[in-house]
Amino acid sequence: MNDEPATAARFHQAHTEAANRAEATAVLIRCGYRVYRPEADIEGEDLVIRTPGGVLSGVQLKSRALVDWRRYGGRELLMLFPSMPYSSGAVRAWFLVPHDPFYGWVKVRHGHTAKWGEQWLYPATSRYLAAFLDPYEVRPPAEAVG
């Protein structure tokens, strides 16, 4: 049996996750957050952050906007994800949004559909989603040039 395609897919997924973690960590640090990496992903915590105001929060890192009540609901998690997939030269926005209020917003829009199963994944950022997410964008201040 040839596992090369499966191995290549797992490598690509691990590569994407590691690159996203590094990019998101850099953005958060530039915004004044402290970022910690738990030894294990327990209860959905990929990262733990301390906000500039001193509040500790668990963070689930995703490559796209997603809500999932069974996995993340009721745990006071923040969801961290980019506005679009990585593309060389493109600048991506990053969003840090509380899962449960985001879940509620998504449920109002999609909870009546056949695809709804207390979870929803956005393959792209629509204008309605962008409008909801705007207050949650993590925007680094302009960096001083030497």
Side-chain angles (χ1 to χ4, degrees):
M1 184 160 96
N2 186 346
D3 285 340
E4 286 184 28
T7 300
R10 282 194 307 274
F11 175 78
H12 178 73
Q13 183 179 0
H15 175 268
T16 299
E17 186 175 334
N20 280 345
R21 186 180 305 114
E23 182 182 347
T25 297
V27 169
L28 289 168
I29 290 170
R30 286 189 172 103
C31 291
Y33 291 83
R34 292 187 208 166
V35 181
Y36 306 95
R37 296 184 184 171
E39 293 294 323
D41 179 350
I42 298 172
E43 296 291 320
E45 288 183 352
D46 290 327
L47 302 170
V48 175
I49 60 170
R50 180 181 297 274
T51 68
V55 176
L56 284 172
S57 296
V59 176
Q60 174 60 220
L61 178 64
K62 291 295 182 191
S63 60
R64 294 181 276 190
L66 172 136
V67 294
D68 184 335
W69 189 261
R70 185 183 57 78
R71 295 173 73 192
Y72 309 121
R75 294 189 174 110
E76 298 184 23
L77 285 172
L78 300 174
M79 305 303 284
L80 177 63
F81 51 87
S83 57
M84 63 183 167
Y86 175 79
S87 177
S88 181
V91 177
R92 304 194 292 178
W94 282 86
F95 302 100
L96 185 63
V97 57
H99 176 272
D100 294 358
F102 185 31
Y103 175 89
W105 183 86
V106 173
K107 184 176 181 179
V108 167
R109 279 142 193 84
H110 304 289
H112 64 282
T113 67
K115 290 183 179 181
W116 179 255
E118 295 194 336
Q119 63 181 358
W120 197 264
L121 172 67
Y122 284 92
T125 305
S126 69
R127 68 176 183 210
Y128 300 107
L129 178 59
F132 173 82
L133 293 174
D134 184 64
Y136 300 104
E137 184 178 349
V138 182
R139 294 179 181 101
E143 293 191 57
V145 178

